[in-house]
């Protein structure tokens, strides 16, 4: 994969930057330094079935990212790779996909995984902090897209970014750090990101038209239909 962030002349200078030591949280450090394959973000799209899941041909090196209640959880539960689950703040003090018992729904630890990461977005409630404290390596957790974290794309007023949009930005930031240190960026793949909810479903605060317009400008992001 080429360098999606800089020109060819700048690429050669990046390899000399490995002498720099970056102070990163454990989650970013693992992604920046690790030998991963693709990062595949799977939308909660009911059209995604077994054929689409199989066509991904996931390997143990790949990173599989799912969101909230992860409607495709069973499709990937027996596949060994780095599993990531993002639980998005719901505006009512909790998170989509985080049950009243203080556990993700489904139980994300009850699946095959070489590594497992659980992210909450925007902020951490006391229940989220308690859950994160219960995790032990190689399972890690933390905040993705904190409420004070700047986004490279100014989101339209009166709207909030989807978990998928925040995750795409998060992994692109990881890739920027990898490039800074002379490492290959991780290919980013979006599966089933149609820009719309099924009829009668969905949260109206996201601006999917804006998100789709941004994805179309990102040369390091590949979109796959369900």
């Amino acid at each position: 994969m080429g360098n999606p962030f800089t020109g060819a002349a700048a690429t050669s200078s990046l390899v000399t930057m490995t002498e720099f030591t970056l102070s990163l949280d454990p989650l970013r450090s693992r992604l920046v330094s690790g030998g991963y394959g693709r990062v595949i973000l799977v939308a909660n799209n009911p059209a995604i079935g077994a054929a689409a899941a199989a066509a991904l041909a996931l390997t143990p090196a790949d990173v599989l990212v799912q969101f909230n209640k992860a409607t495709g959880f069973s499709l990937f539960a027996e596949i060994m790779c780095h599993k990531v689950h993002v639980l998005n703040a719901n505006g009512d003090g909790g998170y989509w996909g985080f049950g009243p018992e203080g556990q993700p729904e489904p139980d994300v630890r009850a699946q095959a995984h070489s590594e497992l990461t659980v992210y909450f977005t925007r902020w951490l409630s006391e229940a989220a902090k308690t859950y994160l404290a219960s995790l032990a390596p190689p399972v890690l957790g933390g905040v993705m897209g904190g409420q004070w974290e700047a986004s490279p794309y100014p989101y339209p007023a009166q709207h909030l970014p989807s978990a998928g949009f925040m995750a795409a930005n998060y992994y692109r930031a990881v890739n920027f750090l990898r490039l800074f240190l002379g490492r290959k960026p991780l290919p980013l793949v979006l599966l089933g990101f149609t820009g719309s909810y099924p009829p009668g479903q969905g949260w109206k605060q996201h601006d999917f038209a804006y998100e789709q317009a941004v994805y179309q400008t990102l040369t390091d992001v590949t979109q796959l239909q369900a």
Side-chain angles (χ1 to χ4, degrees):
M1 180 177 178
N3 184 338
F5 297 96
T6 62
T11 304
S12 60
S13 66
L14 290 174
V15 296
T16 66
M17 296 182 180
T18 54
E19 64 193 72
F20 286 84
T21 300
L22 297 177
S23 179
L24 300 174
D25 64 84
L27 293 169
R28 290 185 203 247
S29 179
R30 182 158 79 176
L31 289 164
V32 170
S33 62
Y36 297 106
R38 300 166 295 169
V39 177
I40 299 171
L41 293 78
V42 180
N44 286 332
N45 183 339
I48 298 173
L56 292 173
L58 287 163
T59 74
D62 290 327
V63 180
L64 179 73
V65 186
Q66 296 178 277
F67 304 94
N68 302 330
K69 289 191 176 182
T71 58
F73 182 84
S74 62
L75 295 174
F76 304 99
E78 302 305 318
I79 297 175
M80 183 69 73
C81 64
H82 180 179
K83 303 287 181 64
V84 176
H85 290 264
V86 182
L87 305 173
N88 199 13
N90 61 16
D92 294 322
Y95 311 87
W96 303 111
F98 193 61
E101 297 80 14
Q103 299 284 333
E105 299 175 334
D107 180 2
V108 298
R109 284 186 269 195
Q111 62 177 330
H113 58 269
S114 53
E115 295 176 342
L116 175 61
T117 303
V118 181
Y119 289 102
F120 295 88
T121 69
R122 306 187 196 285
W123 50 276
L124 293 178
S125 67
E126 290 305 313
K129 292 176 184 177
T130 298
Y131 176 75
L132 291 178
S134 74
L135 303 179
V139 183
L140 296 178
V143 177
M144 172 187 283
Q147 58 182 341
W148 305 117
E149 188 170 344
S151 170
Y153 303 98
Y155 211 77
Q158 309 306 317
H159 292 276
L160 292 171
S162 69
F165 190 75
M166 282 188 282
N169 284 334
Y170 181 88
Y171 286 102
R172 294 194 81 239
V174 165
N175 275 343
F176 181 85
L177 292 172
R178 289 177 66 94
L179 285 165
F180 180 82
L181 295 175
R183 299 179 61 81
K184 284 185 61 176
L186 306 175
L188 305 184
V189 179
L190 310 183
L191 174 62
F193 281 59
T194 63
S196 62
Y197 283 114
Q201 299 181 28
W203 198 51
K204 305 306 181 184
Q205 288 298 317
H206 303 321
D207 189 333
F208 280 135
Y210 173 79
E211 294 184 8
Q212 287 293 316
V214 170
Y215 295 145
Q216 297 305 313
T217 71
L218 305 180
T219 59
D220 56 327
V221 172
T222 299
Q223 287 190 270
L224 301 179
Q225 298 302 311

